[in-house]
Amino acid sequence: FKPVMDFGPEKYLLIVADRNGRKIFETSNPDQGWDGRNQGGGFVREGVYVYYLQYTDFSGIFKTLTGNITVLYP
């Protein structure tokens, strides 16, 4: 999971958390995405996870977005 942006944000923070609010992934690099692994390196369980994204857009406005990521395995 990686947000698609058509500009390079100056400030950027992406956090993915489980449904209990425990942080699973964090990055300040807009080129790095979450590959579905927990901090120990194993794949997370199927379920719904929350992302929290903060960034400065191309006009210098600071924005915050949140949403859900659903993980399903074939």
Side-chain angles (χ1 to χ4, degrees):
F1 172 79
K2 182 174 86 168
V4 176
M5 299 180 167
D6 59 354
F7 60 93
E10 284 187 34
K11 295 182 181 179
Y12 180 90
L13 177 65
L14 172 64
I15 296 173
V16 177
D18 66 13
R19 64 188 311 163
N20 295 320
R22 290 185 294 246
K23 186 176 6 176
I24 295 174
F25 175 79
E26 179 176 357
T27 185
S28 58
N29 180 353
D31 295 325
Q32 182 181 12
W34 179 53
D35 65 359
R37 296 178 190 264
N38 59 31
Q39 292 178 341
F43 287 104
V44 298
R45 293 182 178 188
E46 288 186 342
V48 178
Y49 295 83
V50 177
Y51 72 85
Y52 176 77
L53 175 64
Q54 289 185 327
Y55 67 96
T56 303
D57 71 8
F58 61 90
S59 61
I61 298 173
F62 186 75
K63 295 190 176 185
T64 300
L65 300 172
T66 60
N68 298 321
I69 306 166
T70 302
V71 175
L72 298 172
Y73 297 111

